[in-house]
Amino acid sequence: MTRMERRRRRRRILRIKLATTAAVLALTTASIVALTGGAAETAPEPTPQPPTLQAEPVLLVAEHDSTYQPVQMTAEPVQEPEPVEEEDENEKIEAALLEQGYLHEEIPLDFDLQCHLIAVCEEYGVPQSVALGVIQAESSFTATASNGSCYGYMQINSINSEWLAEKIGVTDLTDPYQNIRSGVFILSDLYGKYGDWHKALICYNYGEGGAQEHVFSKGYTTTSYSRTVMEYADAWAEVLA
């Protein structure tokens, strides 16, 4: 849930609480009136009064004032109180997620990006440890990393832009969230074709044509890159365990 969504949810809860309080007060007032005002009052016997002299009625006429303006009474609109922002709410949520092992301080990504990485890894069936290994090998967890036409955490080559836009709607490879989604999607696609993480990583590194020409055609099934990523992945798997 985003910060804006959390704020809207708190506002809805506050409105419900205010409406409930108003309803309770209205019912309480109605009950008191019914208990105290329902009984008929006995009018006291009239006290005999001495006869009074009848006088001609006197009409009091106010002097006309042309400057007089009627005073209009208007009620000020009731301002809806702003919901109190609980500054420590996010900290409490993050502390709980850390305690449950969902988030990890050892991972050099902020908690929002960690949640995003977990979500896309689950969506595309890629182990989080492998994705972390690729990020570490490609950019050392630097969001602004660039190398020629490769960008971001997972060093996505711009040659894939049109394909990624068509497949998963990515429009900006420099955006950290879209970059991570792109990298995990590519890993998922390659693993689906080759069924082996070393081969998938070689293709991720060389491109499929380059991997076939420079590695697979020569009988190799691993490279220093694929072995490095898998070593990182094993280390991250221990952190995530």
Side-chain angles (χ1 to χ4, degrees), residues 141-194:
F141 293 93
T142 304
T144 58
S146 64
N147 181 15
S149 58
C150 298
Y151 302 96
Y153 281 120
M154 304 192 76
Q155 290 294 281
I156 308 301
N157 196 308
S158 59
I159 197 173
N160 295 302
S161 296
E162 185 176 348
W163 175 64
L164 291 169
E166 179 183 347
K167 288 292 186 181
I168 57 175
V170 166
T171 58
D172 183 3
L173 295 178
T174 65
D175 175 74
Y177 293 87
Q178 295 187 57
N179 188 276
I180 287 176
R181 175 175 289 279
S182 298
V184 174
F185 176 76
I186 292 172
L187 288 171
S188 174
D189 181 70
L190 293 172
Y191 185 78
K193 291 178 179 178
Y194 296 93

Side-chain angles (χ1 to χ4, degrees), residues 1 6 9-10 88-100 102-103 111 115:
M1 182 180 292
R6 288 193 294 268
R9 181 173 179 270
R10 285 194 293 273
D88 61 344
E89 180 181 357
N90 288 343
E91 295 180 3
K92 291 179 179 178
I93 294 172
E94 290 169 356
L97 293 175
L98 283 168
E99 184 178 354
Q100 295 169 10
Y102 188 78
L103 301 177
F111 290 155
C115 290

